Amino acid sequence: MSGRAVTIAEVARHAGVAVSTVSYVLSGKRTISADTRRRVLDSINALGYHPHAGARSLASKRSNVIALVLPLRAGMHVPVLMRFATAVVTAARRFDHDVLLLTADEGPEGIRRVAASALVDALVLMDVELHDRRVPLLRELAEPSVLIGFPAEPAGLTCVDLDFAAAGARCVAHLAERGHRQVALLGAPAVVYERGTGFARRTREGFTAAVAAHGLEGVALPCEETFDEVHATVAGLLASRPALSGLVVHNEAAVNHVLGSLRQLGRRVPQDVAVVAICPDDVAERAGPPLTSVLIPAEEVGREAVRLVMRKLEGLEVPDSTLLPPHLAIRAST
Amino acid sequence: MSGRAVTIAEVARHAGVAVSTVSYVLSGKRTISADTRRRVLDSINALGYHPHAGARSLASKRSNVIALVLPLRAGMHVPVLMRFATAVVTAARRFDHDVLLLTADEGPEGIRRVAASALVDALVLMDVELHDRRVPLLRELAEPSVLIGFPAEPAGLTCVDLDFAAAGARCVAHLAERGHRQVALLGAPAVVYERGTGFARRTREGFTAAVAAHGLEGVALPCEETFDEVHATVAGLLASRPALSGLVVHNEAAVNHVLGSLRQLGRRVPQDVAVVAICPDDVAERAGPPLTSVLIPAEEVGREAVRLVMRKLEGLEVPDSTLLPPHLAIRAST
DNA sequence: GGAGACTGTCGAAGCGCTTCGACGACCGGC
DNA sequence: GCCGGTCGTCGAAGCGCTTCGACAGTCTCC
């Protein structure tokens, strides 16, 4: 296996057919008799043939590789990104494509580079920002792309994401059903709102609208991520709103701190305060108590992004915007 | 930018030289006069030329891509993996290489596929297990590889990792310096030890050896990751060992639960119990109180892995084993 | 039974690049 | 003034694959 690689010419010789016949067996682009096909496939197995990716890409103008571009935001290391990444890779393999990983460090130039050098056929961008520097480039690129998340001006782009507004609203509706009248949203750190990250704002909008629609009283606060700051926020909130009994937490890093803080303040969950989180399932399950939550459907989003980009590669029409509906898992915290 | 791609022939015509001259300007493999070089480079810029990756790989037998292989372990989504990944990509770009992301789903076959199809020149495997199915394959592959983590039989392989034994020992030494006599290690979930994951075992060995060396009393326990189980473990530990005053936690998901549990049991950190963690810096910083910790140097490990694999690609000798020394950051918890 | 339409296979022309050997032009040394 | 050696450049031969046009051989239908 470590000698010189097997070529299509050797397979053809071994099977007693022309090189082009082997190629057509592999691609299925012309009809081949069952008998010949079997002989060729047997030879391929016998010799352990794998087509040379570079040669294939040169001749066919398709690399069968898509780029997966990491978020621009520095220091983004949240676990959910890894889920997106593995979901994208797994889905891409189903379409017989591989995935090239690109960091934000290179910025738009990196995207241009891999596209212009025909390293990749298409691009999936994770977790785009509202005003993402890379978005204008995508519009002028010949290669199709799909964004996970929504920029401020999504016209002419293909975007996929969890419907965060619906997720925020779903959490409020759940609390309203349970009879809570005064609720609060603990969201992302203030800097995230200032940066204009789409999902944080959209959750807040969904929350606020649902609070009004259900005739509740509600407040939405940003939430930092150290225990001490979380504790101060929670304590302040409870002090200023004694009747508050429902909490929506949309901050993966702060979720456990919120629960710890409530425990320290002597509030029982869910008897005194009900808590709904928007976070990955494993975080919700491991919390004390396990949290009712809207999960971030990373696998589903990744799969959908790949499906869309593959359709675009085939020249098919795709919707500009795909919003995946939130799913609420009820656990012990409400 | 979206028209047909620029080729080396067009650059050559534009600059008034032969195709091979352009190639030599780019590769530097033959001397080119300063004057010609400048004309060629100007043409490259003017036309926006990017060499076709497939053609280059076909002609040169180098794809300038390395594979990054995710851990085999299902459901591994810990944040630290994302750091490895970004570190590897960033480091690879410094060597003018890109990174192809491979999931564990495909197993050894996936590795064989990308190697045999010349999609990648070399491989980096993240977080290998003690008895990893992919390791035998790596030995017979012509392409060089580097492992992050150590399998049971590392002979003939190149491995990089944090020196977890030293990390465990360093934590014990720190607690001993602070005057603690009775200490405990809360490690990974039991299933991780059973699976034989190297880093969990090595931390425990380092811990145990250091406890003996410092003449302390110590116990090492596995630790599950739900709040309730962590709480039971912590409560049981404190009940059975009233004099226990130092805790080493090597479990990223459980760290905040341990602190919450101590708070609930009325033990102050660090006055009643000192806590040292082995976990990423951001988790330690955000904890309440901020934790003295040995950080997982993901960036450094990733960079070193790439450096080694590049040296192997050049045919240079590299050490079989690279252990990065632990670094202890002292914070409020000890 | 022959025209026309398929079927299954082949050969050859690229795809865009690297690299090898060749070859003028120029240099210094005798 | 001529020889051997660099230096800088060129042309052409691949690298391994896909795809186009060609072409025997079969089938179908009137």
Side-chain angles (χ1 to χ4, degrees), chain B:
Chain B
M1 184 100 302
S2 54
R4 228 188 60 284
V6 181
T7 72
I8 197 173
E10 300 173 52
V11 174
R13 201 173 318 130
H14 188 275
V17 299
V19 163
S20 49
T21 303
V22 177
S23 179
Y24 286 123
V25 166
L26 252 20
S27 70
K29 294 193 179 176
R30 285 205 181 170
T31 47
I32 297 286
S33 69
D35 178 56
T36 306
R37 183 201 312 293
R38 279 211 30 76
R39 279 219 317 289
V40 169
L41 291 177
D42 287 349
S43 297
I44 286 175
N45 279 326
L47 301 178
Y49 169 67
H50 289 263
H52 188 289
R56 179 171 266 195
S57 127
L58 178 58
S60 70
K61 312 204 161 309
R62 281 298 196 90
S63 67
N64 276 30
V65 175
I66 65 177
L68 178 62
V69 189
L70 292 177
L72 213 45
R73 191 169 353 164
M76 257 300 272
H77 291 299
V78 293
V80 73
L81 280 188
M82 203 67 206
R83 304 193 130 161
F84 279 127
T86 59
V88 166
V89 174
T90 305
R93 286 301 308 142
R94 295 237 167 74
F95 291 94
D96 200 33
H97 279 243
D98 278 287
V99 173
L100 197 80
L101 192 60
L102 249 49
T103 59
D105 296 17
E106 287 195 89
E109 250 333 295
I111 294 179
R112 197 188 287 281
R113 181 178 60 81
V114 296
S117 66
L119 242 184
V120 306
D121 297 333
L123 302 129
V124 173
L125 277 78
M126 283 201 268
D127 212 2
V128 299
E129 296 182 13
L130 271 190
H131 299 284
D132 200 299
R133 305 186 342 246
R134 299 163 301 185
V135 163
L137 172 60
L138 296 180
R139 288 212 171 78
E140 73 183 48
L141 233 44
E143 287 72 15
S145 54
V146 168
L147 314 190
I148 294 177
F150 281 78
E153 193 46 79
L157 302 170
T158 307
C159 306
V160 190
D161 210 349
L162 170 64
D163 189 341
F164 279 99
R170 184 77 188 78
C171 293
V172 172
H174 176 67
L175 291 174
E177 281 164 22
R178 290 284 205 256
H180 301 281
R181 309 304 305 160
Q182 197 165 131
V183 299
L185 168 70
L186 292 176
V191 61
V192 172
Y193 289 98
E194 287 154 20
R195 186 164 51 211
T197 307
F199 69 84
R201 292 196 176 186
R202 282 181 287 128
T203 302
R204 194 174 59 186
E205 286 160 17
F207 171 87
T208 307
V211 162
H214 287 86
L216 310 184
E217 271 184 69
V219 59
L221 300 176
C223 180
E224 304 306 317
E225 300 184 336
T226 68
F227 180 80
D228 291 347
E229 288 169 300
V230 171
H231 187 57
T233 303
V234 171
L237 186 62
L238 293 178
S240 67
R241 313 192 154 229
L244 184 109
S245 67
L247 219 45
V248 178
V249 183
H250 182 200
N251 184 324
E252 186 176 338
V255 133
N256 279 310
H257 295 334
V258 169
L259 293 174
S261 179
L262 290 170
R263 230 179 274 127
Q264 189 162 356
L265 292 164
R267 307 295 175 108
R268 292 163 305 162
V269 176
Q271 296 89 332
D272 302 325
V273 180
V275 178
V276 191
I278 301 176
C279 70
D281 256 8
D282 55 350
V283 171
E285 280 167 5
R286 288 183 195 146
L291 290 167
T292 294
S293 69
V294 169
L295 75 170
I296 316 276
E299 280 74 14
E300 211 179 324
V301 171
R303 203 184 319 128
E304 185 62 17
V306 170
R307 203 182 66 78
L308 289 169
V309 87
M310 289 297 153
R311 288 183 65 88
K312 288 179 90 169
L313 266 177
E314 291 173 35
L316 301 173
E317 283 297 309
V318 300
D320 285 355
S321 149
T322 304
L323 284 175
L324 299 174
H327 176 71
L328 187 79
I330 296 179
R331 300 201 183 81
S333 69
T334 56

Side-chain angles (χ1 to χ4, degrees), chain A residues 253-279:
Chain A
V255 134
N256 280 310
H257 294 334
V258 169
L259 293 174
S261 178
L262 289 171
R263 231 179 274 128
Q264 188 161 359
L265 292 164
R267 308 295 176 108
R268 293 163 304 163
V269 177
Q271 295 90 331
D272 303 325
V273 181
V275 178
V276 191
I278 301 175
C279 72

Side-chain angles (χ1 to χ4, degrees), chain A residues 18 20-21 30-33 36 58:
Chain A
S20 50
T21 303
R30 287 206 179 168
T31 47
I32 297 285
S33 68
T36 306
L58 178 57

Side-chain angles (χ1 to χ4, degrees), chain A residues 198-228:
Chain A
F199 70 85
R201 292 197 178 186
R202 283 181 286 126
T203 301
R204 194 174 57 186
E205 286 160 17
F207 171 88
T208 307
V211 162
H214 287 86
L216 309 184
E217 270 184 69
V219 58
L221 299 177
C223 181
E224 304 306 317
E225 300 184 335
T226 68
F227 179 81
D228 290 346

